[in-house]
Amino acid sequence: MTARRWFALGSALVGVVLAAIVITLEVPGLRPDPLAGDAPASGPPAAEQVTRGAYLARAGNCMTCHTARGGAPYAGGRGIETPFGIVYAGNLTPDAATGIGRWSAAQFRRALHEGRSRDGRLLYPAFPYTHTTLVTPADADALFAYLRSLPPVKQANRPHELRWPYSTQTALAAWRALYFRPMAHHDEPAQTAEWNRGAYLVRGLAHCSACHGTRNALGAQRDVLDLSGGLIPMQNWYAPSLADPAEAGVAGWPLQDVVQLLATGHSPRASTLGPMAEVVLHSTQHLSPADLRAMAVFLQALPATPATANATDASTPAAPSTQRDLGARLYERHCADCHGAKGEGVAGVWPALAGNRAVTLPVTTNLVQVVLHGAFAPATAGHPRPHGMPPFAMELKDAEVAALLTYIRSAWGHRASAVSELEVTQQRSSVR
């Protein structure tokens, strides 16, 4: 490494340390917290505000993270796995001892906008304040009113299980100095009211880029506007780019197909699986047609990025004939009855594989997940009985899964890369 690069690296490290020292001065106990003296909210919240807050909580999918399996809604306790350890969601019910019963509206707004708890403690960005910072004060107050209307549940918050130094407020302060700045949503005058509404939902409460954005080694994103796709930490699913027409871009779709996908998890052009199926089940199916249309308008207007090297890449090396032959036999035995001998599928029932961009994504993670663990679209009000695909983890060996997927990615005009046995083994043995 040259002397110039060593100097640049040293300067960066010094900057991080100085930032940590400066921001650590804001950690509770080292200086007074300007909101600590705020009186807690009193009196019942207005019914209209509660109704509005309940809708916004659906839009933000808040209950999914803040409800442990088998636990009371919003009482917290669910463990969220991260590359740095486990973060446990907090109790959002209005219990005075363990929930937010002693919070003020201003303290709740600060949590959403600045990522600070009632006592000024820095919150971990598993709580997506990097996105909720865009929520308007009026919507934040409506959310708070709804949470105050819930039955109080006395359930102590579990301490996080994070490795050192990620467990320290100093490390979190340094991370925030590098990657977080409070923001506010502002309508763009050049855009329509519908586009602006969609931008507000996608970028803020719906926090779409939390999954569909690229993260660095410290779990940070370039910005909340990044929808270029990325691996979802600890879940082994790839959230495809919403701006790339070769991945999950919808610029060329009829608008109603986008709305239908968000509302039901199913459309003539795609179905949702994995984490996105959960989003549709718990969140987007409950949104108003106007808001779904606004989100669709915004997503269709995203600037298209150049298509990534995938199905049309003629330079992709051909898979060995023995692997292709094995894959063809496995496809005929296990897949052709539903997806068709030529991958044509059955309209409205079984998806076509031929020409399916989910099949030819450069990242093969989702395909391996589907074959090993099955594929299940959400059962929604608009599509209550979706067809599912059974798992083959107990029936196919890793080499067979690799051969089957390699065949599908190279058949019917596809020119996508082969899937290795190692990729399947890593998926099978990793934590989901």
mmCIF file of all heavy atoms in Angstrom, residues 208-216 220-233 237-249 302-303 305 308 361-363 366:
data_model
loop_
_atom_site.group_PDB
_atom_site.id
_atom_site.type_symbol
_atom_site.label_atom_id
_atom_site.label_comp_id
_atom_site.label_asym_id
_atom_site.label_seq_id
_atom_site.Cartn_x
_atom_site.Cartn_y
_atom_site.Cartn_z
ATOM 1 N N CYS A 208 -39.071 0.820 2.155
ATOM 2 C CA CYS A 208 -38.792 -0.213 1.154
ATOM 3 C C CYS A 208 -37.299 -0.459 0.964
ATOM 4 O O CYS A 208 -36.868 -1.596 0.748
ATOM 5 C CB CYS A 208 -39.430 0.167 -0.180
ATOM 6 S SG CYS A 208 -41.225 0.352 -0.111
ATOM 7 N N SER A 209 -36.495 0.601 1.027
ATOM 8 C CA SER A 209 -35.068 0.406 0.783
ATOM 9 C C SER A 209 -34.370 -0.320 1.919
ATOM 10 O O SER A 209 -33.210 -0.721 1.774
ATOM 11 C CB SER A 209 -34.376 1.753 0.524
ATOM 12 O OG SER A 209 -34.260 2.506 1.713
ATOM 13 N N ALA A 210 -35.054 -0.515 3.066
ATOM 14 C CA ALA A 210 -34.447 -1.308 4.141
ATOM 15 C C ALA A 210 -34.126 -2.713 3.645
ATOM 16 O O ALA A 210 -33.169 -3.341 4.116
ATOM 17 C CB ALA A 210 -35.376 -1.363 5.342
ATOM 18 N N CYS A 211 -34.925 -3.214 2.708
ATOM 19 C CA CYS A 211 -34.638 -4.511 2.084
ATOM 20 C C CYS A 211 -34.065 -4.346 0.690
ATOM 21 O O CYS A 211 -33.128 -5.047 0.304
ATOM 22 C CB CYS A 211 -35.896 -5.368 2.003
ATOM 23 S SG CYS A 211 -36.492 -5.966 3.601
ATOM 24 N N HIS A 212 -34.614 -3.409 -0.085
ATOM 25 C CA HIS A 212 -34.257 -3.282 -1.493
ATOM 26 C C HIS A 212 -33.063 -2.360 -1.722
ATOM 27 O O HIS A 212 -32.857 -1.900 -2.848
ATOM 28 C CB HIS A 212 -35.456 -2.778 -2.300
ATOM 29 C CG HIS A 212 -36.535 -3.793 -2.466
ATOM 30 N ND1 HIS A 212 -36.502 -4.765 -3.437
ATOM 31 C CD2 HIS A 212 -37.683 -3.991 -1.777
ATOM 32 C CE1 HIS A 212 -37.591 -5.509 -3.349
ATOM 33 N NE2 HIS A 212 -38.328 -5.068 -2.342
ATOM 34 N N GLY A 213 -32.292 -2.068 -0.684
ATOM 35 C CA GLY A 213 -31.115 -1.230 -0.826
ATOM 36 C C GLY A 213 -29.851 -1.984 -0.470
ATOM 37 O O GLY A 213 -29.872 -2.970 0.268
ATOM 38 N N THR A 214 -28.740 -1.511 -0.984
ATOM 39 C CA THR A 214 -27.441 -2.135 -0.726
ATOM 40 C C THR A 214 -26.881 -1.642 0.608
ATOM 41 O O THR A 214 -26.972 -0.463 0.927
ATOM 42 C CB THR A 214 -26.458 -1.778 -1.853
ATOM 43 O OG1 THR A 214 -27.024 -2.169 -3.105
ATOM 44 C CG2 THR A 214 -25.126 -2.483 -1.660
ATOM 45 N N ARG A 215 -26.297 -2.559 1.380
ATOM 46 C CA ARG A 215 -25.691 -2.211 2.661
ATOM 47 C C ARG A 215 -24.191 -2.511 2.643
ATOM 48 O O ARG A 215 -23.744 -3.434 1.965
ATOM 49 C CB ARG A 215 -26.346 -2.995 3.804
ATOM 50 C CG ARG A 215 -27.800 -2.642 4.027
ATOM 51 C CD ARG A 215 -28.410 -3.439 5.168
ATOM 52 N NE ARG A 215 -29.821 -3.127 5.338
ATOM 53 C CZ ARG A 215 -30.285 -2.133 6.082
ATOM 54 N NH1 ARG A 215 -29.430 -1.367 6.754
ATOM 55 N NH2 ARG A 215 -31.578 -1.902 6.177
ATOM 56 N N ASN A 216 -23.442 -1.724 3.431
ATOM 57 C CA ASN A 216 -22.011 -1.984 3.547
ATOM 58 C C ASN A 216 -21.739 -2.930 4.716
ATOM 59 O O ASN A 216 -22.671 -3.465 5.338
ATOM 60 C CB ASN A 216 -21.231 -0.674 3.680
ATOM 61 C CG ASN A 216 -21.580 0.095 4.949
ATOM 62 O OD1 ASN A 216 -22.101 -0.459 5.915
ATOM 63 N ND2 ASN A 216 -21.280 1.383 4.969
ATOM 64 N N ALA A 220 -24.879 -0.172 6.909
ATOM 65 C CA ALA A 220 -25.401 1.137 6.516
ATOM 66 C C ALA A 220 -25.701 1.165 5.026
ATOM 67 O O ALA A 220 -25.075 0.471 4.225
ATOM 68 C CB ALA A 220 -24.397 2.232 6.867
ATOM 69 N N GLN A 221 -26.668 1.995 4.659
ATOM 70 C CA GLN A 221 -27.022 2.199 3.266
ATOM 71 C C GLN A 221 -26.510 3.545 2.785
ATOM 72 O O GLN A 221 -26.262 4.452 3.580
ATOM 73 C CB GLN A 221 -28.541 2.133 3.090
ATOM 74 C CG GLN A 221 -29.128 0.785 3.437
ATOM 75 C CD GLN A 221 -30.640 0.783 3.298
ATOM 76 O OE1 GLN A 221 -31.337 1.323 4.133
ATOM 77 N NE2 GLN A 221 -31.132 0.174 2.226
ATOM 78 N N ARG A 222 -26.374 3.646 1.474
ATOM 79 C CA ARG A 222 -25.937 4.925 0.921
ATOM 80 C C ARG A 222 -26.935 6.022 1.269
ATOM 81 O O ARG A 222 -26.561 7.098 1.701
ATOM 82 C CB ARG A 222 -25.789 4.815 -0.599
ATOM 83 C CG ARG A 222 -24.624 3.948 -1.036
ATOM 84 C CD ARG A 222 -24.541 3.872 -2.539
ATOM 85 N NE ARG A 222 -25.749 3.273 -3.122
ATOM 86 C CZ ARG A 222 -25.899 3.051 -4.420
ATOM 87 N NH1 ARG A 222 -24.941 3.396 -5.264
ATOM 88 N NH2 ARG A 222 -27.002 2.487 -4.880
ATOM 89 N N ASP A 223 -28.214 5.755 1.055
ATOM 90 C CA ASP A 223 -29.274 6.674 1.458
ATOM 91 C C ASP A 223 -30.601 5.937 1.347
ATOM 92 O O ASP A 223 -30.683 4.844 0.794
ATOM 93 C CB ASP A 223 -29.274 7.952 0.605
ATOM 94 C CG ASP A 223 -29.409 7.667 -0.878
ATOM 95 O OD1 ASP A 223 -30.398 7.009 -1.272
ATOM 96 O OD2 ASP A 223 -28.554 8.105 -1.661
ATOM 97 N N VAL A 224 -31.658 6.567 1.871
ATOM 98 C CA VAL A 224 -32.964 5.911 1.885
ATOM 99 C C VAL A 224 -33.609 5.914 0.508
ATOM 100 O O VAL A 224 -34.672 5.340 0.325
ATOM 101 C CB VAL A 224 -33.909 6.574 2.902
ATOM 102 C CG1 VAL A 224 -33.370 6.432 4.307
ATOM 103 C CG2 VAL A 224 -34.158 8.045 2.565
ATOM 104 N N LEU A 225 -32.970 6.561 -0.453
ATOM 105 C CA LEU A 225 -33.505 6.574 -1.808
ATOM 106 C C LEU A 225 -32.976 5.414 -2.626
ATOM 107 O O LEU A 225 -33.409 5.204 -3.765
ATOM 108 C CB LEU A 225 -33.139 7.897 -2.504
ATOM 109 C CG LEU A 225 -33.450 9.187 -1.737
ATOM 110 C CD1 LEU A 225 -33.111 10.391 -2.602
ATOM 111 C CD2 LEU A 225 -34.905 9.234 -1.325
ATOM 112 N N ASP A 226 -32.046 4.647 -2.077
ATOM 113 C CA ASP A 226 -31.418 3.557 -2.814
ATOM 114 C C ASP A 226 -32.351 2.358 -2.884
ATOM 115 O O ASP A 226 -32.673 1.749 -1.867
ATOM 116 C CB ASP A 226 -30.105 3.168 -2.125
ATOM 117 C CG ASP A 226 -29.447 1.965 -2.787
ATOM 118 O OD1 ASP A 226 -29.664 1.766 -3.998
ATOM 119 O OD2 ASP A 226 -28.722 1.228 -2.095
ATOM 120 N N LEU A 227 -32.783 2.026 -4.077
ATOM 121 C CA LEU A 227 -33.647 0.863 -4.291
ATOM 122 C C LEU A 227 -33.005 -0.067 -5.314
ATOM 123 O O LEU A 227 -33.696 -0.730 -6.087
ATOM 124 C CB LEU A 227 -35.027 1.324 -4.768
ATOM 125 C CG LEU A 227 -35.832 2.147 -3.754
ATOM 126 C CD1 LEU A 227 -37.029 2.813 -4.420
ATOM 127 C CD2 LEU A 227 -36.286 1.282 -2.595
ATOM 128 N N SER A 228 -31.672 -0.133 -5.284
ATOM 129 C CA SER A 228 -30.921 -0.871 -6.299
ATOM 130 C C SER A 228 -30.759 -2.350 -5.985
ATOM 131 O O SER A 228 -30.055 -3.060 -6.690
ATOM 132 C CB SER A 228 -29.530 -0.242 -6.485
ATOM 133 O OG SER A 228 -28.796 -0.288 -5.271
ATOM 134 N N GLY A 229 -31.412 -2.827 -4.924
ATOM 135 C CA GLY A 229 -31.385 -4.255 -4.614
ATOM 136 C C GLY A 229 -30.272 -4.628 -3.662
ATOM 137 O O GLY A 229 -29.243 -3.952 -3.568
ATOM 138 N N GLY A 230 -30.470 -5.717 -2.937
ATOM 139 C CA GLY A 230 -29.437 -6.180 -2.029
ATOM 140 C C GLY A 230 -29.889 -7.406 -1.259
ATOM 141 O O GLY A 230 -31.084 -7.718 -1.185
ATOM 142 N N LEU A 231 -28.922 -8.109 -0.681
ATOM 143 C CA LEU A 231 -29.224 -9.257 0.162
ATOM 144 C C LEU A 231 -29.793 -8.776 1.494
ATOM 145 O O LEU A 231 -29.275 -7.828 2.091
ATOM 146 C CB LEU A 231 -27.961 -10.085 0.401
ATOM 147 C CG LEU A 231 -27.476 -10.929 -0.781
ATOM 148 C CD1 LEU A 231 -26.080 -11.483 -0.504
ATOM 149 C CD2 LEU A 231 -28.447 -12.075 -1.058
ATOM 150 N N ILE A 232 -30.851 -9.420 1.952
ATOM 151 C CA ILE A 232 -31.449 -9.061 3.229
ATOM 152 C C ILE A 232 -30.644 -9.741 4.333
ATOM 153 O O ILE A 232 -30.549 -10.970 4.361
ATOM 154 C CB ILE A 232 -32.919 -9.504 3.289
ATOM 155 C CG1 ILE A 232 -33.690 -8.917 2.109
ATOM 156 C CG2 ILE A 232 -33.553 -9.082 4.605
ATOM 157 C CD1 ILE A 232 -35.125 -9.395 2.021
ATOM 158 N N PRO A 233 -30.042 -8.973 5.233
ATOM 159 C CA PRO A 233 -29.173 -9.570 6.248
ATOM 160 C C PRO A 233 -29.869 -10.660 7.047
ATOM 161 O O PRO A 233 -31.008 -10.496 7.492
ATOM 162 C CB PRO A 233 -28.811 -8.374 7.143
ATOM 163 C CG PRO A 233 -28.972 -7.178 6.266
ATOM 164 C CD PRO A 233 -30.111 -7.506 5.344
ATOM 165 N N TRP A 237 -32.345 -14.034 1.574
ATOM 166 C CA TRP A 237 -33.170 -13.675 0.431
ATOM 167 C C TRP A 237 -32.557 -12.440 -0.220
ATOM 168 O O TRP A 237 -32.012 -11.570 0.466
ATOM 169 C CB TRP A 237 -34.601 -13.354 0.848
ATOM 170 C CG TRP A 237 -35.438 -14.548 1.158
ATOM 171 C CD1 TRP A 237 -35.596 -15.150 2.365
ATOM 172 C CD2 TRP A 237 -36.249 -15.295 0.236
ATOM 173 N NE1 TRP A 237 -36.439 -16.227 2.265
ATOM 174 C CE2 TRP A 237 -36.871 -16.335 0.965
ATOM 175 C CE3 TRP A 237 -36.527 -15.187 -1.132
ATOM 176 C CZ2 TRP A 237 -37.729 -17.254 0.375
ATOM 177 C CZ3 TRP A 237 -37.392 -16.103 -1.720
ATOM 178 C CH2 TRP A 237 -37.988 -17.124 -0.978
ATOM 179 N N TYR A 238 -32.679 -12.377 -1.517
ATOM 180 C CA TYR A 238 -32.204 -11.215 -2.263
ATOM 181 C C TYR A 238 -33.406 -10.363 -2.644
ATOM 182 O O TYR A 238 -34.344 -10.851 -3.288
ATOM 183 C CB TYR A 238 -31.458 -11.655 -3.526
ATOM 184 C CG TYR A 238 -31.055 -10.517 -4.438
ATOM 185 C CD1 TYR A 238 -30.061 -9.620 -4.066
ATOM 186 C CD2 TYR A 238 -31.671 -10.348 -5.676
ATOM 187 C CE1 TYR A 238 -29.692 -8.575 -4.900
ATOM 188 C CE2 TYR A 238 -31.296 -9.309 -6.525
ATOM 189 C CZ TYR A 238 -30.314 -8.424 -6.133
ATOM 190 O OH TYR A 238 -29.958 -7.391 -6.968
ATOM 191 N N ALA A 239 -33.417 -9.094 -2.222
ATOM 192 C CA ALA A 239 -34.466 -8.157 -2.611
ATOM 193 C C ALA A 239 -34.019 -7.492 -3.904
ATOM 194 O O ALA A 239 -33.087 -6.688 -3.897
ATOM 195 C CB ALA A 239 -34.686 -7.115 -1.515
ATOM 196 N N PRO A 240 -34.647 -7.812 -5.028
ATOM 197 C CA PRO A 240 -34.141 -7.328 -6.321
ATOM 198 C C PRO A 240 -34.315 -5.828 -6.487
ATOM 199 O O PRO A 240 -35.133 -5.194 -5.810
ATOM 200 C CB PRO A 240 -34.981 -8.105 -7.347
ATOM 201 C CG PRO A 240 -36.213 -8.483 -6.610
ATOM 202 C CD PRO A 240 -35.813 -8.690 -5.182
ATOM 203 N N SER A 241 -33.550 -5.278 -7.385
ATOM 204 C CA SER A 241 -33.607 -3.849 -7.662
ATOM 205 C C SER A 241 -34.980 -3.456 -8.182
ATOM 206 O O SER A 241 -35.535 -4.085 -9.083
ATOM 207 C CB SER A 241 -32.540 -3.482 -8.707
ATOM 208 O OG SER A 241 -32.738 -2.159 -9.173
ATOM 209 N N LEU A 242 -35.528 -2.397 -7.619
ATOM 210 C CA LEU A 242 -36.816 -1.874 -8.071
ATOM 211 C C LEU A 242 -36.653 -0.865 -9.199
ATOM 212 O O LEU A 242 -37.645 -0.328 -9.707
ATOM 213 C CB LEU A 242 -37.556 -1.216 -6.900
ATOM 214 C CG LEU A 242 -37.924 -2.143 -5.746
ATOM 215 C CD1 LEU A 242 -38.618 -1.369 -4.633
ATOM 216 C CD2 LEU A 242 -38.809 -3.286 -6.223
ATOM 217 N N ALA A 243 -35.394 -0.625 -9.590
ATOM 218 C CA ALA A 243 -35.130 0.318 -10.676
ATOM 219 C C ALA A 243 -34.578 -0.368 -11.915
ATOM 220 O O ALA A 243 -34.427 0.280 -12.946
ATOM 221 C CB ALA A 243 -34.138 1.393 -10.200
ATOM 222 N N ASP A 244 -34.287 -1.643 -11.818
ATOM 223 C CA ASP A 244 -33.684 -2.376 -12.926
ATOM 224 C C ASP A 244 -34.767 -3.196 -13.633
ATOM 225 O O ASP A 244 -35.358 -4.090 -13.027
ATOM 226 C CB ASP A 244 -32.581 -3.290 -12.397
ATOM 227 C CG ASP A 244 -31.760 -3.923 -13.508
ATOM 228 O OD1 ASP A 244 -32.245 -3.993 -14.651
ATOM 229 O OD2 ASP A 244 -30.626 -4.351 -13.236
ATOM 230 N N PRO A 245 -35.032 -2.937 -14.901
ATOM 231 C CA PRO A 245 -36.072 -3.708 -15.595
ATOM 232 C C PRO A 245 -35.745 -5.179 -15.728
ATOM 233 O O PRO A 245 -36.648 -5.991 -15.974
ATOM 234 C CB PRO A 245 -36.147 -3.022 -16.970
ATOM 235 C CG PRO A 245 -34.852 -2.305 -17.129
ATOM 236 C CD PRO A 245 -34.434 -1.899 -15.755
ATOM 237 N N ALA A 246 -34.490 -5.557 -15.539
ATOM 238 C CA ALA A 246 -34.124 -6.971 -15.593
ATOM 239 C C ALA A 246 -34.309 -7.657 -14.247
ATOM 240 O O ALA A 246 -34.162 -8.877 -14.159
ATOM 241 C CB ALA A 246 -32.669 -7.124 -16.057
ATOM 242 N N GLU A 247 -34.611 -6.884 -13.196
ATOM 243 C CA GLU A 247 -34.802 -7.481 -11.878
ATOM 244 C C GLU A 247 -36.250 -7.305 -11.410
ATOM 245 O O GLU A 247 -37.083 -8.160 -11.662
ATOM 246 C CB GLU A 247 -33.784 -6.899 -10.889
ATOM 247 C CG GLU A 247 -32.359 -7.310 -11.241
ATOM 248 C CD GLU A 247 -31.412 -7.184 -10.068
ATOM 249 O OE1 GLU A 247 -31.845 -6.953 -8.918
ATOM 250 O OE2 GLU A 247 -30.206 -7.330 -10.296
ATOM 251 N N ALA A 248 -36.561 -6.203 -10.742
ATOM 252 C CA ALA A 248 -37.933 -6.017 -10.266
ATOM 253 C C ALA A 248 -38.498 -4.660 -10.644
ATOM 254 O O ALA A 248 -39.495 -4.221 -10.059
ATOM 255 C CB ALA A 248 -37.994 -6.210 -8.750
ATOM 256 N N GLY A 249 -37.887 -3.975 -11.597
ATOM 257 C CA GLY A 249 -38.430 -2.709 -12.063
ATOM 258 C C GLY A 249 -39.793 -2.904 -12.703
ATOM 259 O O GLY A 249 -40.034 -3.905 -13.386
ATOM 260 N N LEU A 302 -39.285 5.562 -11.236
ATOM 261 C CA LEU A 302 -37.867 5.461 -10.874
ATOM 262 C C LEU A 302 -37.013 5.418 -12.130
ATOM 263 O O LEU A 302 -37.331 4.695 -13.082
ATOM 264 C CB LEU A 302 -37.622 4.194 -10.039
ATOM 265 C CG LEU A 302 -38.209 4.162 -8.631
ATOM 266 C CD1 LEU A 302 -38.017 2.771 -8.017
ATOM 267 C CD2 LEU A 302 -37.554 5.222 -7.754
ATOM 268 N N PRO A 303 -35.914 6.163 -12.163
ATOM 269 C CA PRO A 303 -35.034 6.102 -13.333
ATOM 270 C C PRO A 303 -34.494 4.690 -13.521
ATOM 271 O O PRO A 303 -33.969 4.091 -12.584
ATOM 272 C CB PRO A 303 -33.913 7.089 -12.983
ATOM 273 C CG PRO A 303 -34.492 7.975 -11.922
ATOM 274 C CD PRO A 303 -35.456 7.127 -11.150
ATOM 275 N N THR A 305 -32.110 1.777 -14.283
ATOM 276 C CA THR A 305 -30.674 1.564 -14.285
ATOM 277 C C THR A 305 -30.325 0.562 -15.381
ATOM 278 O O THR A 305 -31.168 -0.226 -15.794
ATOM 279 C CB THR A 305 -30.203 1.010 -12.931
ATOM 280 O OG1 THR A 305 -30.870 -0.238 -12.693
ATOM 281 C CG2 THR A 305 -30.533 1.969 -11.809
ATOM 282 N N THR A 308 -28.473 -5.509 -15.471
ATOM 283 C CA THR A 308 -27.297 -6.231 -15.021
ATOM 284 C C THR A 308 -27.020 -7.412 -15.933
ATOM 285 O O THR A 308 -27.875 -7.861 -16.686
ATOM 286 C CB THR A 308 -27.508 -6.753 -13.590
ATOM 287 O OG1 THR A 308 -28.760 -7.430 -13.540
ATOM 288 C CG2 THR A 308 -27.519 -5.601 -12.606
ATOM 289 N N LEU A 361 -32.164 -13.995 -12.417
ATOM 290 C CA LEU A 361 -31.441 -13.016 -11.604
ATOM 291 C C LEU A 361 -29.985 -13.435 -11.439
ATOM 292 O O LEU A 361 -29.688 -14.622 -11.282
ATOM 293 C CB LEU A 361 -32.077 -12.906 -10.218
ATOM 294 C CG LEU A 361 -33.341 -12.066 -10.063
ATOM 295 C CD1 LEU A 361 -33.900 -12.218 -8.660
ATOM 296 C CD2 LEU A 361 -33.063 -10.613 -10.361
ATOM 297 N N PRO A 362 -29.061 -12.485 -11.453
ATOM 298 C CA PRO A 362 -27.655 -12.849 -11.263
ATOM 299 C C PRO A 362 -27.378 -13.447 -9.893
ATOM 300 O O PRO A 362 -26.443 -14.215 -9.714
ATOM 301 C CB PRO A 362 -26.911 -11.525 -11.462
ATOM 302 C CG PRO A 362 -27.934 -10.467 -11.243
ATOM 303 C CD PRO A 362 -29.238 -11.043 -11.701
ATOM 304 N N VAL A 363 -28.185 -13.091 -8.892
ATOM 305 C CA VAL A 363 -28.068 -13.668 -7.552
ATOM 306 C C VAL A 363 -29.034 -14.847 -7.466
ATOM 307 O O VAL A 363 -30.231 -14.694 -7.682
ATOM 308 C CB VAL A 363 -28.400 -12.629 -6.468
ATOM 309 C CG1 VAL A 363 -28.258 -13.240 -5.087
ATOM 310 C CG2 VAL A 363 -27.501 -11.410 -6.614
ATOM 311 N N ASN A 366 -32.549 -16.639 -4.102
ATOM 312 C CA ASN A 366 -33.996 -16.870 -4.005
ATOM 313 C C ASN A 366 -34.400 -18.199 -4.632
ATOM 314 O O ASN A 366 -35.278 -18.899 -4.108
ATOM 315 C CB ASN A 366 -34.745 -15.727 -4.674
ATOM 316 C CG ASN A 366 -34.516 -14.392 -3.987
ATOM 317 O OD1 ASN A 366 -33.863 -14.311 -2.966
ATOM 318 N ND2 ASN A 366 -35.039 -13.332 -4.567
#
